[in-house]
Amino acid sequence: MDNPAIPAILSGMKHDSDIVIVGGGLNGPALALALAQSGLSVTIVDALPEPVRKNAAFDGRAYALALASVRLLRAIGLWDTIAAQTQPMLEIKVSDGRAGDGPLSPFLLHFEHAELEEGPMGHMCEDRVLRPALLDAMKKTSGITQISGDAVTTQTIEAGGTQLTLASGKLLRTRLIVGADGRNSGTGARAGIRRTGWGYGQTALVCAIAHDRPHHGIAHQFFMPPGPLAILPLPGNVSSIVWSESDKTAAEFAALSDTDFLHVLRPRFGDFLGEISLTGKRYTYPLGLTVANSFVAPRVALVGDAAHGMHPIAGQGLNAGLRDVAALCQVLGEARSRGEDLAAPDVLERYQRWRRFDVAALAMTTDFSNRLFSNDNPLLRAVRDIGMGAINAAPPLRRALMREAAGLTGDLPDLMR
């Protein structure tokens, strides 16, 4: 029910913007665009200067955008800008084996996009395409103020709002702070939100590979005892590699020359795409699970990695963050239309209830999958191989998993419908 007293109270309070988003990576700008298009004023603060964020060279980083995420990007007016530079994922093949031996079982999972009425399960998009497009779109959208090269040092709750102090000394007053500032979220820490998680003793080696033969839009996930190797199609005869190894082995491989690195990659990659070569630089990041104990605090909400960080085994990290974006935007828009305080505890709790269970289920699924597949136990290998074969032989179950991977299940926010 509308409360006419609330707008009257809030109207007497000075705010620089309705919402301040801390973190200008991918989720923060997507949220800024969605909120601004709903009529809210937004300030987005990022510690990195804009030229650094916008002008990154090709480094192999890419994202598997599920179909639901593509819908969100279309809804905020971004998809038409980047679509021609993305690669549809037409098939996904999942197999189990060892380096140099190839698949050790005839059982595998094979997802074919033609089984989905809606089209491709998702698209691969390079970081160097998506990030600048988001920054450019924010510049063209009224209601968004960007502050780059400055960091939040303090945040305090006031009557009817919050105040943030930046390293430059600038003060910002707002109704709500949204933390989109990564796994080590300063926003969450300053709000007293603790985290639960653990490391996997694994490190991801990430790079891009050029190859002689076309990939035909097929994504591959090859499970090996130390961790999975994902081969993800990019435009042209190029694929993004996300290769999980034990911390010790990954450190050794990361220190190799490009020539020696390719030498250890080839037996794992195989020869199905012909000769391979590195394109762009290589980088690594440690793998672990971390989930905020609460996604909200007084006048604070967390989205993306600030709320949850998972193993990339299912390629759902950015997709889960964009689902946060769509859900939070809808909750705030509905609260605004009812005349509620955007940061009222019951408003923020609606967002948390919407996202908490979905995130917990996804976190448990990725954690279980990594533990099940990242080993060479003969019994577990038999169980998982038979399981993959059974799923692949059952079309209704296979299609259900495809819809899950495409982000089409559960209580979808309006921006993803």
Side-chain angles (χ1 to χ4, degrees):
M1 181 179 294
D2 291 353
N3 185 345
I6 291 177
I9 294 171
L10 295 178
S11 65
M13 300 174 183
K14 175 67 175 176
H15 297 102
D16 298 295
S17 57
D18 293 317
I19 297 163
V20 169
I21 300 172
V22 183
L26 300 175
N27 292 303
L31 179 61
L33 289 167
L35 292 172
Q37 290 170 14
S38 73
L40 293 167
S41 60
V42 182
T43 299
I44 186 163
V45 181
D46 195 88
L48 288 176
E50 183 177 340
V52 174
R53 294 156 62 202
K54 185 175 181 180
N55 298 319
F58 178 63
D59 59 7
R61 284 185 298 171
Y63 309 102
L65 296 170
L67 177 55
S69 296
V70 170
R71 290 175 176 176
L72 167 65
L73 296 178
R74 182 177 288 114
I76 63 175
L78 198 73
W79 183 246
D80 288 345
T81 303
I82 66 172
Q85 301 175 77
T86 67
Q87 169 63 51
M89 287 187 290
L90 304 179
E91 298 179 50
I92 299 175
K93 295 183 177 181
V94 182
S95 57
D96 192 7
R98 295 192 195 97
D101 294 331
L104 297 180
S105 167
F107 301 119
L108 55 78
L109 275 175
H110 184 194
F111 298 145
E112 164 61 57
H113 83 284
E115 293 189 67
L116 283 183
E117 296 177 357
E118 293 87 349
M121 293 166 280
H123 288 69
M124 290 299 302
C125 184
E126 298 167 27
D127 182 83
R128 63 171 178 169
V129 171
L130 182 56
R131 195 175 300 265
L134 285 165
L135 293 173
D136 287 342
M138 285 196 296
K139 281 187 176 180
K140 298 173 183 176
T141 303
S142 61
I144 299 178
T145 301
Q146 295 189 65
I147 299 176
S148 297
D150 209 349
V152 177
T153 57
T154 64
Q155 62 195 50
T156 56
I157 305 297
E158 298 179 334
T162 67
Q163 177 175 284
L164 299 93
T165 304
L166 306 187
S168 62
K170 183 178 179 64
L171 299 179
L172 298 175
R173 290 183 173 84
T174 185
R175 304 179 193 278
L176 172 68
I177 304 170
V178 177
D181 46 349
R183 296 188 179 204
N184 298 313
S185 172
T187 303
R190 287 187 292 271
I193 297 175
R194 301 177 68 86
R195 305 182 74 87
T196 299
W198 46 82
Y200 290 120
Q202 294 172 315
T203 296
L205 298 145
V206 180
C207 62
I209 297 294
H211 37 79
D212 289 343
R213 299 173 189 160
H215 48 55
H216 301 296
I218 302 173
H220 298 264
Q221 182 92 298
F222 184 46
F223 288 109
M224 297 179 291
L229 168 66
I231 304 171
L232 307 168
L234 296 178
N237 283 11
V238 180
S239 293
S240 175
I241 303 300
V242 183
W243 173 14
S244 301
E245 277 283 351
S246 67
D247 290 338
K248 180 177 182 297
T249 302
E252 294 171 355
F253 289 170
L256 296 174
S257 67
D258 286 354
T259 299
D260 290 339
F261 181 82
L262 281 173
H263 181 72
V264 296
L265 174 61
R266 279 193 182 95
R268 294 159 174 84
F269 192 97
D271 59 3
F272 69 103
L273 291 176
E275 288 298 314
I276 60 174
S277 60
L278 284 166
T279 176
K281 65 181 182 180
R282 299 179 273 142
Y283 73 103
T284 64
Y285 60 92
L287 300 178
L289 174 70
T290 173
V291 179
N293 292 351
S294 175
F295 291 0
V296 300
R299 296 200 172 271
V300 170
L302 303 180
V303 299
D305 282 359
H308 44 77
M310 304 169 201
H311 197 287
I313 195 169
Q316 292 298 314
L318 178 57
N319 294 307
L322 292 177
R323 198 146 173 164
D324 296 342
V325 165
L328 181 59
C329 182
Q330 184 167 329
V331 167
L332 297 180
E334 291 171 350
R336 179 172 178 265
S337 68
R338 289 193 290 263
E340 296 176 287
D341 178 1
L342 298 178
D346 57 333
V347 172
L348 297 183
E349 185 56 31
R350 289 173 212 154
Y351 162 67
Q352 171 154 263
R353 282 199 307 269
W354 194 345
R355 293 298 300 136
R356 187 78 180 172
F357 177 79
D358 183 42
V359 166
L362 183 58
M364 287 189 293
T365 298
T366 56
D367 183 73
F368 174 76
S369 297
N370 185 54
R371 296 178 188 277
L372 175 64
F373 283 94
S374 296
N375 64 76
D376 204 20
N377 183 294
L379 179 60
L380 289 179
R381 182 180 291 279
V383 169
R384 66 200 186 214
D385 290 348
I386 292 172
M388 285 196 295
I391 293 171
N392 202 60
L397 184 54
R398 188 175 64 245
R399 283 193 290 272
L401 286 179
M402 289 174 62
R403 295 188 66 80
E404 182 73 29
L408 301 177
T409 59
D411 187 6
L412 283 176
D414 289 346
L415 286 174
M416 289 183 154
R417 292 184 183 275

